[in-house]
């Protein structure tokens, strides 16, 4: 198996297409490595020069006087594959291809890239790129990159590692991090990912003792299973992965596809998979680097109790609002603790936020006592203290740092964060105590929320996928609603009773037998969306069933003339409970995924749905329900009865197991609507679309995601 050592710790590096000009693509990596003191051997290859930047050059790879273990290729695209073959023959374990003009360009480039993949497979050499900006390892001076960004500041050893499909954006993340005092020790940009991809880079970082935090940028993923394994490896190692997945908009998804020839996929599924397997999704570089900075002390609270200390009532309100926005609890101090704090400073507000007022700067014992009492009696997992610019005043800073340090002594497992404005040397004094410093208290709360999220994720043991036992087979051919419901019922999902009527009199008899108003729907495996052809009539009285049968059949024949109509399904109306939607599909990147949401406008307009990679158990399914913005409706809002959440979670789990077991055959499954009742759940309609009858991808995604 490839290790990070193979990619970032080579001993002999050939540069094919080496340039004597340190500003050219083939010259920059040599210049950077010479300046950084690379501790290996640099072997330039250039048929037109005897020396390159003061180093002996060989006319070809074959002419090198020693074996190599890594190669940098900076030649025109048509010459790349022969160069890779030559490097593999010389012993190279890995090859980095700067050259562009491959699948990101045109069909001819795609053919070249396919050949590159074949060369890698045949020779066993690992390929980074093509169309790649490069990699670096600050620990050993290995600077295999042509990014001009490195001219502005050489990488410094650090525990933050970056993996990025985009070379330019990867180097942007590196340099912005450097400007903010974050040392990116390792960078891997993957370009077109003919072989090594972002997922593998994450796994390699997760296995590296020098890396503590991983920042990743991707426009699309080609191997979803590989990414999942990488995220699980990082979570098992207790290493946070901060992931920026772009291409959320339609325009962004198209741009991502054209940029690296990768499949952007459905953004909601990406977000769900990242959450499910422990990665925190950042929406901006600022957010990514705030979280990366906050990870430095490696303190990840496993609960969400936040204590707020402030010298300003207004700032306390601001921080409390932000905490609520991020789902963080700010419980009040116990009554006895409030009394103790009130005795120290009668005009203070001791509840939470604890307002110590500016008097704290006149008597630092108040700072020490407040911090200690909050941690001892408030049992907070984290403390956020707002000190504003006063904390940066030279006459106050040293005393405040000392008071805070005494107050939190003995609570090394708690996260201590300050919001203040000070010079870098003062900030570093706080950081030396393992504390975090943010100027903006809202950004501080956001970072705390991320750390708490990681803490909860790390504390969870890896969930074992539920077993798929005694599942029904899929019948041959296309499935109508009745057949789909029968299959899902055999899989353990409750469905509404129905009868198939082939004549008006049979429809009337069926309605009479149910004895309640009925729903009547056209029965045809060729009509996937019955309402679009006028094939659904609801709340039909038994006396009107025969006429409704005729109207449904007539409209269906008019609007879907080529469909084979088997008759009309008659089912009892079930009006009680809450309408939900349950679905599954086989995602082109991640395979089987399951979805739940509230039905009607909640799914269609508000997009209030939750996804998971399948299969999942009832516990994970319950977490999906809790994620819904409208979950309160299911739990009994405004005096209404709560639905059977256990039964709903069980239905989600059973659908996920069924979808995963038949992922090679199924394009999508819809149970819409599914009624969640106080005692159980029942699917009122079901649609199973097999891969052979799948709708166009754009239409399918639109219908499934309600976009």
């Amino acid at each position: 198996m490839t290790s990070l050592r193979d990619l970032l710790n080579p001993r002999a590096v050939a540069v094919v297409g080496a340039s004597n000009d340190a500003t050219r693509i083939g010259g920059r990596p040599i210049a950077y490595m010479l300046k950084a003191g690379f501790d290996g051997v640099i072997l330039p290859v250039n048929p037109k020069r005897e020396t390159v930047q003061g180093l002996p050059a060989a006319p070809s790879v074959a002419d090198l006087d020693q074996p190599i273990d890594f190669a940098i290729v900076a030649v025109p695209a048509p010459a790349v594959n022969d160069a890779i073959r030559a490097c593999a023959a010389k012993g190279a374990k890995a090859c980095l291809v700067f050259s562009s003009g491959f699948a990101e360009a045109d069909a001819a480039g795609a053919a070249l890239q396919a050949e590159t993949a074949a060369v890698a497979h045949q020779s066993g050499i690992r390929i980074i790129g093509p169309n790649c900006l490069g990699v670096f390892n600050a620990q050993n001076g290995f600077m295999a990159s042509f990014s001009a960004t490195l001219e502005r500041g050489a990488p410094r050893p650090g525990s933050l590692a970056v993996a990025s499909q985009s070379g330019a954006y990867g180097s942007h993340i590196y340099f912005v991090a450097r400007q903010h005092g974050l040392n990116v020790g390792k960078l891997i940009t993957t370009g077109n990912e003919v072989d090594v991809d972002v997922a593998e880079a994450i796994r390699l970082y997760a296995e590296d003792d020098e890396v503590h935090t991983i920042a990743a940028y991707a426009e699309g993923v080609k191997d979803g299973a590989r990414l999942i394994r990488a995220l699980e490896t990082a979570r098992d190692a207790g290493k946070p992965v901060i992931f920026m997945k772009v291409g959320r908009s339609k325009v962004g998804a198209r741009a991502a596809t054209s940029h690296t020839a990768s499949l952007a996929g459905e953004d909601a599924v990406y977000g769900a998979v990242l959450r499910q397997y422990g990665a925190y999704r950042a929406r901006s570089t600022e957010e990514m680097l705030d979280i990366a900075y906050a990870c430095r002390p490696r303190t990840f609270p496993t609960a969400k109790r936040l204590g707020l200390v402030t010298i300003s009532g207004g700032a306390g309100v601001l921080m409390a609002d932000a905490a609520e926005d991020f789902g963080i609890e700010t419980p009040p101090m116990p009554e006895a603790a409030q009394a103790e704090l009130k005795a120290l400073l009668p005009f203070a507000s001791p509840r939470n936020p604890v307002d110590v007022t500016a008097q704290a700067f006149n008597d630092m014992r108040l700072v020490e006592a407040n911090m200690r009492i909050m941690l001892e009696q408030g049992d907070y997992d984290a403390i956020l203290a707002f000190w504003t610019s006063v904390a940066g005043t030279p006459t106050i800073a040293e005393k405040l740092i000392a008071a805070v340090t005494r107050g939190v002594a003995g609570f090394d497992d708690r996260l201590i964060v300050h919001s203040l404005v000070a010079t870098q040397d003062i900030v570093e004094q706080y950081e030396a105590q393992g504390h975090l410093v943010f100027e903006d208290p809202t950004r501080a709360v956001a970072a705390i929320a991320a750390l708490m999220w990681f803490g909860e994720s790390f504390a969870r043991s890896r969930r074992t996928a539920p077993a798929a036992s005694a599942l029904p087979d899929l019948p041959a051919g296309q499935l109508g609603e009745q057949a789909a419901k029968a299959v899902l019922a055999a899989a353990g999902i409750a469905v509404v009773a129905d009868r198939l009527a082939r004549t008006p009199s049979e429809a009337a008899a069926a309605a009479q037998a149910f004895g309640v108003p009925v729903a009547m729907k056209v029965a045809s495996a060729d009509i996937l969306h019955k309402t679009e052809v006028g094939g659904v009539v609801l709340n039909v009285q038994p006396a009107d069933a025969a006429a409704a049968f005729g109207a449904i059949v007539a409209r269906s024949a008019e609007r879907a003339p080529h469909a084979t109509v088997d008759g009309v399904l008659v089912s009892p109306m079930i009006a009680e409970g809450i309408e939900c939607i349950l679905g599954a599909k086989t995602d082109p990147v991640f395979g089987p995924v399951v979805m739940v949401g509230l039905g009607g406008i909640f799914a269609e307009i508000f997009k209030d749905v939750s996804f998971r990679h399948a299969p999942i158990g009832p516990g994970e399914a319950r977490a999906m329900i809790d994620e819904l913005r409208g979950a309160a409706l299911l739990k009994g809002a405004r005096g209404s009865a709560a639905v059977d959440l256990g039964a709903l979670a069980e239905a989600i789990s059973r659908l996920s197991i069924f979808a995963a077991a038949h992922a090679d055959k199924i394009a999508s499954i819809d149970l819409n609507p599914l009624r969640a009742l106080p005692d159980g759940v029942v699917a009122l309609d079901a649609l199973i679309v097999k891969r052979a009858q799948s709708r166009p991808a754009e239409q399918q995604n639109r219908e499934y995601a309600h976009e």
Side-chain angles (χ1 to χ4, degrees), residues 1-13 33 38 69-72 92-96 124-129 134-137 140 142-145 163 186-190 195-205:
M1 177 181 287
T2 301
S3 70
L4 197 62
R5 179 174 297 276
D6 296 326
L7 301 186
L8 295 183
N9 290 79
R11 307 308 307 150
V13 180
M33 285 189 280
F38 173 54
D69 50 18
F70 193 96
I72 299 170
K93 296 178 181 178
C95 182
L96 169 64
I125 194 171
R126 301 307 308 274
I127 307 293
I128 307 172
V135 305
F136 68 65
N137 181 359
N140 65 356
F142 180 51
M143 303 289 153
S145 174
K186 295 180 172 71
L187 169 71
I188 298 175
T189 67
T190 55
D195 180 18
V196 175
D197 60 8
V198 164
E200 184 167 10
I202 292 172
R203 178 186 64 79
L204 293 173
Y205 287 152

Side-chain angles (χ1 to χ4, degrees), residues 682-696:
V682 59
L684 306 186
D685 201 343
L687 172 66
I688 296 177
V689 179
K690 291 186 176 181
R691 288 198 176 205
Q693 69 176 112
S694 177
R695 294 153 284 175

Side-chain angles (χ1 to χ4, degrees), residues 410-426:
F411 296 95
D412 295 340
D413 61 330
R414 310 297 175 87
L415 181 67
I416 309 299
V417 186
H418 305 278
S419 177
L420 56 86
V421 183
T423 57
Q424 186 61 30
D425 62 319
I426 292 176

Side-chain angles (χ1 to χ4, degrees), residues 593-608:
V593 294
V594 65
M595 180 204 75
V596 67
L598 293 178
I601 63 170
F602 289 96
E604 295 171 7
I605 297 176
F606 299 129
K607 300 180 177 62
D608 189 13

Side-chain angles (χ1 to χ4, degrees), residues 52-135:
V52 170
Q53 298 187 43
L55 300 173
S60 70
V61 174
D63 290 317
L64 290 171
D65 59 5
Q66 68 175 83
I68 61 174
D69 50 18
F70 193 96
I72 299 170
V73 175
V75 297
V80 164
N81 290 322
D82 285 341
I84 295 173
R85 291 185 182 95
C87 293
K90 203 67 177 178
K93 296 178 181 178
C95 182
L96 169 64
V97 181
F98 288 162
S99 315
S100 58
F102 288 83
E104 84 286 354
D106 52 28
L112 272 178
Q113 186 164 311
E115 182 184 348
T116 306
V119 172
H121 179 73
Q122 292 161 7
S123 66
I125 194 171
R126 301 307 308 274
I127 307 293
I128 307 172
N131 186 31
C132 175
L133 195 70
V135 305

Side-chain angles (χ1 to χ4, degrees), residues 311-369:
I311 62 163
S312 160
V317 174
L318 176 72
M319 294 187 294
D321 286 348
E324 181 174 307
D325 291 341
F326 285 99
I328 300 175
E329 302 170 25
T330 53
M333 292 281 286
E335 291 294 336
Q338 290 190 45
E340 188 173 349
L341 292 176
K342 198 77 171 174
L344 290 171
L345 189 63
F347 52 85
S349 174
R351 185 175 170 81
N352 189 26
V354 174
D355 185 357
V356 297
T357 76
Q359 178 62 24
F361 292 136
N362 296 321
D363 185 356
M364 291 295 174
R365 292 174 300 177
L366 295 174
V367 173
E368 178 182 346

